[in-house]
């Protein structure tokens, strides 16, 4: 499941298919806005920010091709995927020329669509790798944790400790292993510092997720 706020605009006049897409993608953690005609979609695209566009072609008022052309002319580069019954080469070519990033023909496999969405969002740097720990979200590349509505940027050693515990989640990591991971060979490990790092993680993630096995080590419980 996607653990970030990714907003998708769906342009689709088939109500049943649109609602199926909406239900499927919302279950995967996306925020969905539906439009059943091109003019409404254009209005929404100018009013709100979207991370991705899923577009049918043959819709009322403005076709999907016309809708995307309007956006691209105004330098709106929101990633876009066409999902349409138009399977001929000319239509596929036109879709990409109008600025599409991908093109799928109906009937579409929803699992394949999800894979393409995630791949496209990652290519466009709209989707960061993240790890859920209870209700907290850890972004390893940035060294940031979002928890209880707050953003935390712990010290380097706290992040190293968390990454080690994640790599061995639900397994006890010995204190000796932690010392070797956090301190270089020419540094002296500090038990008191380790206790501080552990307490920092407990405050951010919740005590229930960092388990102390006295005299042995620590475990991350997910």
């Amino acid at each position: 499941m996607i653990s970030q706020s990714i907003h998708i605009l769906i342009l689709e006049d088939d109500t049943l298919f649109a609602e199926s897409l909406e239900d499927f993608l919302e279950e995967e953690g996306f925020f969905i806005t539906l439009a059943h005609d091109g003019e409404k979609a254009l209005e929404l695209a100018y009013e709100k920010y979207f991370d991705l566009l899923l577009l049918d072609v043959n819709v009322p008022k403005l076709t999907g091709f016309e809708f995307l052309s309007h956006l691209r002319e105004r330098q709106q580069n929101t990633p876009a995927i066409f999902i349409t019954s138009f399977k001929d080469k000319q239509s596929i070519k036109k879709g990409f020329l109008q600025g599409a990033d991908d093109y799928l023909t109906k009937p579409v496999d929803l699992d394949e669509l999800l894979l393409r969405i995630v791949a496209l969002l990652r290519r466009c740097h709209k989707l960061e790798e993240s790890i859920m720990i209870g209700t907290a979200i850890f972004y390893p590349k940035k060294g940031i944790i979002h928890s209880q509505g707050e953003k935390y940027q712990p010290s380097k050693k706290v992040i190293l400790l968390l990454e080690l515990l994640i790599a061995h989640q639900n397994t006890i990591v010995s204190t000796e292993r932690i010392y070797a991971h956090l301190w270089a060979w020419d540094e002296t490990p500090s038990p008191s510092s380790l206790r501080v790092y552990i307490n920092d993680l407990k405050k951010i993630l919740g005590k229930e997720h960092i388990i102390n096995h006295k005299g042995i080590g620590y475990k991350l419980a997910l």
Side-chain angles (χ1 to χ4, degrees), residues 80-93:
I81 301 175
F82 279 114
I83 305 174
T84 175
S85 56
F86 288 9
K87 301 179 181 181
D88 60 285
K89 289 183 179 179
Q90 186 175 356
S91 294
I92 295 172
K93 181 179 179 180

Side-chain angles (χ1 to χ4, degrees), residues 132-144:
M132 292 291 295
I133 304 169
T135 58
I137 307 172
F138 173 45
Y139 298 94
K141 289 183 180 180
K142 292 184 176 181
I144 290 173

Side-chain angles (χ1 to χ4, degrees), residues 95-165:
F96 283 108
L97 289 175
Q98 298 289 24
D101 297 275
D102 206 346
Y103 192 107
L104 289 171
T105 57
K106 296 177 180 177
V108 64
D109 181 272
L110 294 181
D111 290 326
E112 179 186 351
L113 173 62
L114 178 62
L115 291 173
R116 289 175 181 260
I117 287 173
V118 171
L120 177 55
L121 291 173
R122 282 182 176 150
R123 286 201 303 273
C124 297
H125 306 290
K126 289 180 176 285
L127 193 64
E128 300 177 71
E129 294 291 341
S130 60
I131 299 167
M132 292 291 295
I133 304 169
T135 58
I137 307 172
F138 173 45
Y139 298 94
K141 289 183 180 180
K142 292 184 176 181
I144 290 173
I145 304 170
H146 287 265
S147 179
Q148 302 297 320
E150 300 289 336
K151 183 174 79 170
Y152 299 90
Q153 193 156 19
S155 68
K156 183 178 179 181
K157 277 190 166 58
V158 172
I159 292 299
L160 285 172
L161 173 59
L162 178 57
E163 289 175 339
L164 178 64
L165 294 175

Side-chain angles (χ1 to χ4, degrees), residues 3 10 14 27 45 58 62 65 79-80 91 157 169 180 188 191 194 212:
S3 57
I10 298 176
D14 182 330
E27 285 182 4
N58 190 22
L62 281 177
F65 290 150
S91 294
K157 277 190 166 58
Q169 57 188 271
T188 302
L194 177 56
N212 180 9

